């Protein structure tokens, strides 16, 4: 990559923590190189305490865009000049553009699109399906709303009763008010309800950080009776590629288990187009980075 860096190279950033595990820099830089685009993509460890100066830096340095991940997806919104309709509905941003480097920052959310496309790649449709979803943060919210708009019949949302639990309730209200999908929210402490919801679902999506360092030895499902051969198990974590949840699901008969690589690829492809006005060479990137 260094051979192609010039005085005209435009920078794209990724701001999150932890972030050194991310494959996004490799994915985007390989795509830039493949298309001959004079861009570079770098990751920066940024949390809520350093988020505002980081956003100020994007403006001051003319950085042309940034991806945003945990824990900044919701916290970044007050620092932006504009957010897209889907990001406003979701209440979270994972992509920011700085058009022409002039300092006008616009937030978007491509997480939901990426997740649904990743499922479709595996032959899974959400239309008319009942889905259990754990999580209430930015990614979980995006997936829930996208699934509802794409025709999911029921969404059973579970989260621990923490500082984002109210966000889950707001998400369910948005879904119930704006789509034909029926969404409910339940405290994950109610394990009987959690088990019942999964029994009624054809797809289970874990959109939490459980399974990723430092929680790589944890899983929200530990009861073999909750796993069926026809239950699709989708974990948005991609590092490690096989989380404890996915390993447990396979060991107990689930035929289709999906990690977060596809979601990362397709949300990244949507962001790439927002940054560059070019289509990411998805087939090339998929073969280069993800095919085992």
């Amino acid at each position: 990559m260094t051979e192609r860096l010039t005085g005209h190279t435009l920078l794209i950033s990724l701001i999150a923590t932890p972030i050194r595990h991310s494959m996004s820099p490799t994915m985007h830089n390989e795509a830039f190189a493949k298309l001959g685009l004079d861009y570079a993509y770098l990751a920066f460890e940024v949390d809520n305490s350093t988020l505002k100066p980081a956003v100020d830096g994007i403006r001051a340095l003319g950085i042309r865009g940034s991806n945003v991940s945990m824990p900044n997806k919701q916290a970044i919104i007050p620092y932006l000049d504009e957010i897209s309709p889907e990001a406003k509905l979701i209440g979270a941003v994972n992509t920011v553009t700085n058009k022409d480097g002039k300092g006008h920052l616009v937030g978007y959310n491509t997480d939901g699109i990426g997740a649904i496309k990743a499922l479709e790649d595996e032959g899974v449709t959400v239309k008319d399906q009942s889905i259990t979803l754990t999580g209430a943060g930015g990614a979980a919210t995006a997936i829930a709303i996208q699934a509802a708009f794409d025709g999911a019949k029921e969404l059973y949302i579970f989260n621990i009763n923490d500082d984002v639990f109210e966000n889950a309730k707001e998400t369910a209200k948005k879904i119930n008010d704006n789509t034909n999908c029926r969404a409910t929210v339940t405290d994950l402490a109610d394990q009987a309800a959690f088990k019942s919801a999964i029994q009624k679902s054809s797809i289970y999506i874990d959109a939490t950080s459980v399974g990723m360092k430092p929680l790589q030895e944890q899983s929200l499902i530990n009861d073999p009776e909750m796993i069926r051969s026809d239950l699709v198990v989708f974990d948005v974590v991609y590092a490690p590629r096989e989380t404890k949840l996915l390993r447990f699901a396979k060991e107990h008969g689930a035929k289709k288990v999906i990690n977060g690589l596809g979601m990362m690829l397709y949300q990244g492809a949507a962001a790439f187009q927002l940054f560059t006005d070019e289509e990411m060479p998805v087939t090339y990137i998929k073969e280069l980075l993800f095919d085992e």
Side-chain angles (χ1 to χ4, degrees), residues 33-55:
K34 178 70 172 176
L35 298 181
L37 300 177
D38 197 3
Y39 285 82
Y41 187 111
L42 294 176
F44 299 93
E45 292 276 352
V46 175
D47 62 16
N48 289 177
S49 68
T50 53
L51 182 57
K52 185 181 186 304
V55 175

Side-chain angles (χ1 to χ4, degrees), residues 1-291:
M1 189 183 79
T2 54
E3 294 86 355
R4 66 181 184 82
L5 295 177
T6 73
H8 299 282
T9 300
L10 302 175
L11 180 62
I12 307 293
S13 65
L14 168 60
I15 52 176
T17 190
I19 202 55
R20 296 306 174 192
H21 68 281
S22 177
M23 293 180 69
S24 290
T26 303
M27 176 176 69
H28 283 271
N29 285 316
E30 291 290 352
F32 295 149
K34 178 70 172 176
L35 298 181
L37 300 177
D38 197 3
Y39 285 82
Y41 187 111
L42 294 176
F44 299 93
E45 292 276 352
V46 175
D47 62 16
N48 289 177
S49 68
T50 53
L51 182 57
K52 185 181 186 304
V55 175
D56 291 340
I58 291 172
R59 296 184 200 275
L61 297 174
I63 293 172
R64 295 307 173 100
S66 185
N67 280 132
V68 183
S69 195
M70 295 183 292
N72 302 317
K73 291 184 178 185
Q74 292 156 315
I76 197 171
I77 290 175
Y79 306 131
L80 304 178
D81 301 296
E82 184 181 347
I83 63 172
S84 67
E86 83 280 356
K88 186 174 183 179
L89 185 62
I90 294 165
V93 162
N94 80 328
T95 302
V96 175
T97 60
N98 182 6
K99 188 169 176 59
D100 299 323
K102 301 295 186 182
H104 184 81
L105 304 185
V106 182
Y108 302 85
N109 196 303
T110 66
D111 278 332
I113 294 169
I116 301 305
K117 177 61 178 170
L119 286 169
E120 290 174 350
D121 249 16
E122 298 290 337
V124 180
T125 180
V126 300
K127 184 174 173 59
D128 298 325
Q129 301 303 307
S130 295
I131 301 169
T132 297
L133 171 73
T134 46
T141 303
I143 293 168
I145 288 177
Q146 192 68 48
F149 274 101
D150 284 359
K153 180 175 66 174
E154 293 177 306
L155 270 171
Y156 306 109
I157 302 171
F158 287 82
N159 198 72
I160 59 174
N161 195 353
D162 60 6
D163 56 350
V164 295
F165 191 75
E166 288 302 316
N167 183 67
K169 292 181 178 179
E170 292 175 13
T171 299
K173 186 177 188 307
K174 291 174 184 176
I175 289 170
N176 290 329
D177 289 348
N178 293 283
T179 76
N180 292 324
C181 179
R182 178 179 173 271
T184 59
V185 179
T186 307
D187 189 338
L188 190 56
D190 189 343
Q191 286 291 294
F194 185 39
K195 184 175 181 178
S196 175
I198 288 181
Q199 288 173 341
K200 292 182 284 187
S201 298
S202 58
I203 304 169
Y204 169 59
I205 303 174
D206 186 333
T208 73
S209 59
V210 174
M212 183 174 70
K213 289 184 179 179
L215 307 174
Q216 68 268 31
E217 296 304 320
Q218 297 184 30
S219 169
L220 296 179
I221 293 181
N222 297 286
D223 181 352
E225 292 185 0
M226 297 173 72
I227 302 298
R228 311 185 311 272
S229 62
D230 62 338
L231 178 69
V232 175
V233 180
F234 177 27
D235 193 334
V236 304
V237 171
Y238 64 85
R241 292 197 180 192
E242 185 177 76
T243 60
K244 184 175 181 180
L245 167 66
L246 297 185
R247 187 166 61 251
F248 183 85
K250 284 201 295 188
E251 288 171 353
H252 292 92
K255 301 298 185 186
K256 193 176 289 289
V257 297
I258 304 167
N259 65 24
L261 282 173
M263 176 178 169
M264 197 269 285
L265 172 66
Y266 288 112
Q267 65 80 22
F272 185 92
Q273 188 155 20
L274 289 169
F275 296 144
T276 67
D277 291 324
E278 301 278 351
E279 289 189 10
M280 178 181 279
V282 168
T283 300
Y284 169 78
I285 295 299
K286 190 175 182 181
E287 292 174 353
L288 185 68
L289 299 182
F290 304 145
D291 285 354

